Amino acid sequence: MSRLTHPDHGVATILLAGGKGTRLHDLTATESKPAVPFAGRNRIVDFAMANVVRSGLDKLLVATQFAPATLNHHLPARWGRHFAPGALLLQDGRDRYLGTADAVRHNWQQVRDWQADQVLVLAADHIYDMDYTGLIAAHRASGAAVTVAVDVVPRAQASGFGVMQADDSGRIASFLEKPANPPAIPGEPDRAMVSMGIYVFDRAWLEGALFGPDIESLDFGHEVIPAAVAQGLAMAYRLPAGPTGLPYWRDVGTLDALRQAHLDFVAGQPARLPHISPASEWYLGRGSVMMPGAAVPPSARLTCAIVAPGTRVPHGLVAGEDPDEDARWFRREGRTVLITQAMLDRRDALRIPAILPARQGVALHPRDVA
């Protein structure tokens, strides 16, 4: 796939990086979801950034919102050298943005200043492998108002996404944002086509949608994309296979999904992307990973665990084998156990008073002294 190498190829890229990521619980208590560490010194946002750089896109505005401090430092430090001065911009939207489309509306003057013909809108909180040049070329060829990048997932998992159906030409016939009963792909009853949260818009059409009489357009999934579908102006673009021969895109919105994406990375899918660190010291074995600043002694036995940043695991700790015991001290969702320093401190504080009476001959339940 050819890169968009001309210095002014008419595309303004806006990366939406303000998500709080509440389903990651303690990991996003004080950190935005795009800034959560992933696979060593990388952060979730780095996958979208690596895709932007590999695609030759040279105008990028990053719209931050929740807890932006880490991104404000990380993005210029790690990615600034890939952009000309003034071409990588960070805009803090705390207490301003009311939705994904509203974030773009607040930053529309920059799109005008860049004199862009198309606007590429990206989500910063997914792990995926994609060259955007194919998506942009398909959009230009179609003449559509918007082209939506899509992937296929099991229908049972599709209710957390925008779900669509398209005709043989790729024109989107219906779009439902997070439906309780997702429609299946015709002829494939167990699979659904879902939005990746990646859109290419015709600039003039999007400007009309954002600033026209319907100024309630605050969100792409709920309002803007359905409006384009209703006008017959929305196209779907299927995520192509990556270097491994398969497409790869993961929404790491839950602890289980985040841990599984780490394991995929260990296995080499997605393939090592340019500018993504291949360091593997974060992988503990037994399906467990640790984040930067954490320390896990060899005597600990952790299964399907995520060890949060800065956590000091004590010698001999066993986690991930007994769901009831895990639930006493840690956060367990699905198969994944999240271990933080605050959880370990609470565990120590509650267990020590229980152990002391045993030294005076008071019998205790074996689980209390494990």
Side-chain angles (χ1 to χ4, degrees), residues 63-101:
T64 63
Q65 189 166 21
F66 175 71
T70 296
L71 294 181
N72 288 341
H73 170 75
H74 174 76
L75 292 176
R78 182 158 180 184
W79 297 101
R81 65 187 176 88
H82 297 286
F83 295 87
L88 173 60
L89 303 174
L90 279 77
Q91 293 293 337
D92 187 345
R94 280 176 290 184
D95 303 320
R96 289 199 298 151
Y97 304 154
L98 301 178
T100 53

Side-chain angles (χ1 to χ4, degrees), residues 115-132:
Q115 299 181 339
D117 298 317
Q118 289 90 35
V119 181
L120 174 64
V121 178
L122 306 174
D125 54 2
H126 300 155
I127 305 295
Y128 65 107
D129 176 10
M130 186 175 187
D131 184 336
Y132 304 122

Side-chain angles (χ1 to χ4, degrees), residues 14-175:
I14 299 180
L15 181 62
L16 302 178
K20 189 172 183 179
T22 55
R23 293 179 297 164
L24 293 181
H25 304 287
D26 308 71
L27 294 179
T28 51
T30 59
E31 193 70 274
S32 68
K33 182 182 173 185
V36 169
F38 185 90
R41 70 181 187 90
N42 305 294
R43 296 183 183 274
I44 292 174
V45 70
D46 289 329
F47 285 82
M49 293 299 297
N51 290 327
V52 165
V53 170
R54 74 188 288 201
S55 302
L57 297 165
D58 58 358
K59 301 180 184 72
L60 177 64
L61 185 146
V62 183
T64 63
Q65 189 166 21
F66 175 71
T70 296
L71 294 181
N72 288 341
H73 170 75
H74 174 76
L75 292 176
R78 182 158 180 184
W79 297 101
R81 65 187 176 88
H82 297 286
F83 295 87
L88 173 60
L89 303 174
L90 279 77
Q91 293 293 337
D92 187 345
R94 280 176 290 184
D95 303 320
R96 289 199 298 151
Y97 304 154
L98 301 178
T100 53
D102 194 47
V104 173
R105 178 170 30 233
H106 272 88
N107 291 291
W108 194 253
Q109 185 57 51
Q110 188 60 60
V111 175
R112 291 175 176 152
D113 291 346
W114 279 337
Q115 299 181 339
D117 298 317
Q118 289 90 35
V119 181
L120 174 64
V121 178
L122 306 174
D125 54 2
H126 300 155
I127 305 295
Y128 65 107
D129 176 10
M130 186 175 187
D131 184 336
Y132 304 122
T133 57
L135 168 65
I136 295 166
H139 174 76
R140 289 172 171 169
S142 72
V146 58
T147 301
V148 182
V150 303
D151 197 10
V152 173
V153 302
R155 183 172 172 271
Q157 301 173 13
S159 60
F161 304 99
V163 182
M164 69 204 78
Q165 292 184 315
D167 63 22
D168 292 341
S169 72
R171 191 170 304 277
I172 300 173
S174 68
F175 185 97

Side-chain angles (χ1 to χ4, degrees), residues 135-222:
L135 168 65
I136 295 166
H139 174 76
R140 289 172 171 169
S142 72
V146 58
T147 301
V148 182
V150 303
D151 197 10
V152 173
V153 302
R155 183 172 172 271
Q157 301 173 13
S159 60
F161 304 99
V163 182
M164 69 204 78
Q165 292 184 315
D167 63 22
D168 292 341
S169 72
R171 191 170 304 277
I172 300 173
S174 68
F175 185 97
L176 299 172
E177 182 70 3
K178 299 181 179 180
N181 184 26
I185 297 174
E188 301 183 54
D190 296 327
R191 303 210 299 167
M193 181 185 296
V194 302
S195 169
M196 297 170 60
I198 298 171
Y199 319 109
V200 187
F201 290 96
D202 173 77
R203 181 199 56 77
W205 186 91
L206 181 57
E207 187 164 14
L210 294 178
F211 297 97
D214 182 15
I215 59 172
E216 293 301 316
S217 294
L218 302 176
D219 185 82
F220 286 120
H222 284 103

